[in-house]
Amino acid sequence: MTTTDINFMTAVDLSQRIRSGDLSCVEVMQAHIAQIDRVNPQVNAIVTYHPDTALEGAKAADDALSRGDDVGVLHGLPVAHKDLVDTAGVRTTYGSPIYADHIPEQDALMVERLKQAGAISVGKTNTPEFGAGSQTFNEVFGVTLNPYDLTKTCGGSSGGAAVALSCGMVAIADGSDLGGSLRNPSNFCNIVGFRTSVGRVPVWPSAMPWTLLSVQGPMARTVQDTALMLSAIAGPDARCPVALTDEGDSFNPLTHSLERDFEGVRIAWSGDMDGLPVDPRILTVIESQRGVFGELGCDIDEGCPDFRDANEVFMTMRAASMAASRAELLRTYRDQMKDTVIWNIEQGMKLTAAEIGAAEIKRAALYERVRKFMETYEFMVFPVSQHPPFDVTQPYLTEVAGVQMDTYIDWMRSCYYITATGHPAISVPCGFTDEGLPVGVQIVGRHQNEFAVLQLAYAFQQATGFWKQRPEVAE
């Protein structure tokens, strides 16, 4: 078995081989450290790196197995944490010069749970400043490159995580998603990213624990690996007031099969979500795989719910959140913030209570329209992104399919419309453009029905196999 074989095993397979003794945790970690040392200088995905600590953790994990200890579902698996997530004793910058030397004193809850499940951290993954924007670059660590084309963006804001997975540097990775930050980089890097319902993965610490837009969640190379990771990080926690009460174990693919008969299941399909500008290259790839859902037994209808007001809802609530969390920083450190972050904070500071309240009311109506629509359709299938990976020197897209974009996030409406509805959505590899750039498909499920989303995503993945195509830089 070669090092590369180990790097590109599924997390499920690695976990089983570690438990059976076919592979030691040290062997697995050494393979991933070697891959990071070889590939990361080319793509800049992992920005804070601690191989010695990771290897010590692997040795301790082997000792635990030799003692017959009861170990977690992720035991011995290499993981990296997004640089927005607090890690005790490990540099966490949030992609900002303001926090360039920041070292948290405690782990975020998601990091805590990954440790408890046995995952071993190799470091932190790159993110744009404060996670703002779907292009991964910042003044602290620079830009992260797309492994399928080093001249293109990897997306964001969980861009470093997506690249690390795509290149076999880690077995699983965590991310977060406000307007598409789990889904978009996964779509750009040919991996899986799952935006679950708010509260499915509880968030702590949080200055705004009642917020209902942003989530943290799993990323992996396969749907079953994503489910395995979700089983470790989902579940209730009293520190998060919006945490769902279902236990995470229900997502474990080793005990709850993702296999399902989809005969007669109804799907609503739309290539443009009823009028969004979408690059023809995206539509060509997505449409080429539409028949797969039919082959799985699904009944497919063209259509989507009424997304009226989704843009206003999201942009208003995002701006309000930015102002609440960053306005004080702006007053003190304006000269150390990028222009788009400043603009977004100031947009929030201009909002009135009446405007924020009106957005909440419109969001309630939007949710109700989508809920009723999904009484007929169990799933909706859309593009993840409206445009393929673009030039890495471009901070954000200013035009899509001939339509001008007004702000730095307008080009991500296909993701953030779903954020505004609150429904779970996953990005799954769907193919490649003629230039060889990855394209994902977005599968949206009913309210809080994550397991069903995983099942359809798994069926699509198994029928297509695009996830097996690796970037040349990783070979």
Side-chain angles (χ1 to χ4, degrees):
M1 184 183 301
T2 67
T3 295
T4 305
D5 289 334
I6 294 174
N7 292 117
F8 286 97
M9 279 184 190
T10 67
V12 169
D13 194 10
L14 273 179
S15 176
Q16 292 174 322
R17 287 177 180 245
I18 287 171
R19 287 170 183 270
S20 69
D22 288 348
L23 284 172
S24 71
C25 298
V26 167
E27 285 178 292
V28 171
M29 186 57 70
Q30 286 174 332
H32 285 82
I33 288 172
Q35 186 75 339
I36 294 169
D37 290 343
R38 187 178 69 84
V39 180
N40 195 56
Q42 301 175 67
V43 293
N44 192 37
I46 295 176
V47 290
T48 294
Y49 179 39
H50 41 73
D52 293 341
T53 303
L55 201 52
E56 289 172 7
K59 292 174 182 175
D62 281 331
D63 290 343
L65 287 172
S66 66
R67 291 192 302 267
D69 293 355
D70 186 18
V71 298
V73 295
L74 306 178
H75 191 77
L77 297 184
V79 67
H81 305 298
K82 187 175 180 179
D83 202 28
L84 291 183
V85 181
D86 283 355
T87 44
V90 178
R91 185 186 186 194
T92 302
T93 74
Y94 317 123
S96 166
I98 301 167
Y99 292 97
D101 300 314
H102 174 58
I103 300 178
E105 295 182 357
Q106 62 188 5
D107 286 326
L109 175 55
M110 181 165 60
V111 174
E112 180 183 301
R113 287 187 167 181
L114 288 167
K115 283 183 178 179
Q116 289 171 349
I120 303 169
S121 174
V122 299
K124 307 298 289 283
T125 57
N126 206 19
T127 183
E129 183 177 320
F130 297 123
S134 281
Q135 222 281 52
T136 298
F137 65 95
N138 60 62
E139 293 296 323
V140 183
F141 297 115
V143 65
T144 300
L145 308 179
N146 191 310
Y148 288 88
D149 183 339
L150 298 178
T151 69
K152 299 293 191 292
T153 177
C154 62
S157 62
S158 308
V163 174
L165 283 163
S166 186
C167 293
M169 298 185 210
V170 289
I172 52 174
D174 59 51
S176 55
D177 188 307
L178 177 62
S181 292
L182 282 162
R183 292 163 286 166
N184 180 53
S186 298
N187 154 72
F188 277 6
C189 295
N190 200 46
I191 64 159
V192 179
F194 194 10
R195 180 192 165 90
T196 59
S197 304
V198 170
R200 179 65 67 198
V201 177
V203 177
W204 179 88
S206 172
M208 301 172 65
W210 295 96
T211 184
L212 299 176
L213 273 188
S214 181
V215 304
Q216 295 177 348
M219 303 172 77
R221 283 186 294 273
T222 71
V223 174
Q224 56 270 45
D225 291 353
T226 304
L228 184 71
M229 181 174 169
L230 181 60
S231 74
I233 60 177
D237 190 285
R239 291 169 289 183
C240 176
V242 297
L244 302 181
T245 58
D246 307 31
E247 293 295 336
D249 290 345
S250 60
F251 297 105
N252 189 337
L254 300 176
T255 55
H256 296 76
S257 175
L258 294 176
E259 299 280 353
R260 176 179 165 185
D261 181 1
F262 284 96
E263 192 66 37
V265 170
R266 298 191 68 181
I267 288 178
W269 176 283
S270 178
D272 64 1
M273 298 175 73
D274 197 24
L276 291 180
V278 181
D279 188 283
R281 292 169 291 178
I282 295 288
L283 292 173
T284 297
V285 174
I286 297 290
E287 289 294 337
S288 72
Q289 301 306 312
R290 177 174 178 163
V292 173
F293 292 98
E295 293 166 5
L296 293 173
C298 299
D299 293 334
I300 309 168
D301 292 335
E302 189 78 30
C304 68
D306 178 0
F307 284 115
R308 174 171 27 102
D309 299 325
N311 190 64
E312 178 187 345
V313 166
F314 178 80
M315 294 294 277
T316 300
M317 298 182 74
R318 177 189 175 92
S321 174
M322 292 281 282
S325 60
R326 309 292 179 202
E328 192 59 40
L329 282 177
L330 178 61
R331 294 185 187 100
T332 308
Y333 299 103
R334 186 186 187 95
D335 61 331
Q336 295 185 57
M337 290 183 166
K338 68 178 179 179
D339 57 351
T340 48
V341 170
I342 293 171
W343 171 83
N344 224 164
I345 295 170
E346 290 184 336
Q347 289 297 110
M349 294 169 69
K350 294 174 186 176
L351 290 170
T352 65
E355 288 170 329
I356 295 171
E360 290 280 4
I361 291 170
K362 289 178 179 179
R363 189 183 189 194
L366 170 65
Y367 171 79
E368 183 61 13
R369 291 195 300 274
V370 176
R371 185 194 66 78
K372 287 182 177 178
F373 183 84
M374 297 194 78
E375 287 179 348
T376 300
Y377 299 101
E378 185 174 353
F379 301 99
M380 302 184 291
V381 179
F382 306 128
V384 180
S385 177
Q386 296 160 237
H387 197 282
F390 52 90
D391 193 307
V392 74
T393 63
Q394 187 173 355
Y396 53 89
L397 282 172
T398 56
E399 181 182 298
V400 175
V403 178
Q404 202 71 23
M405 302 289 104
D406 294 331
T407 78
Y408 77 112
I409 53 172
D410 272 14
W411 63 279
M412 282 306 301
R413 291 188 186 188
S414 52
C415 274
Y416 72 65
Y417 276 17
I418 304 305
T419 293
T421 74
H423 287 71
I426 197 167
S427 173
V428 186
C430 186
F432 297 84
T433 67
D434 289 344
E435 303 97 328
L437 299 173
V439 176
V441 67
Q442 182 172 203
I443 298 173
V444 183
R446 288 173 174 161
H447 181 57
Q448 296 183 356
N449 198 349
E450 277 80 6
F451 195 73
V453 173
L454 288 166
Q455 287 178 311
L456 183 56
Y458 174 73
F460 179 81
Q461 169 193 275
Q462 296 304 97
T464 56
F466 292 117
W467 66 277
K468 297 177 183 178
Q469 186 163 329
R470 307 170 188 167
E472 289 185 11
V473 70
E475 295 293 351

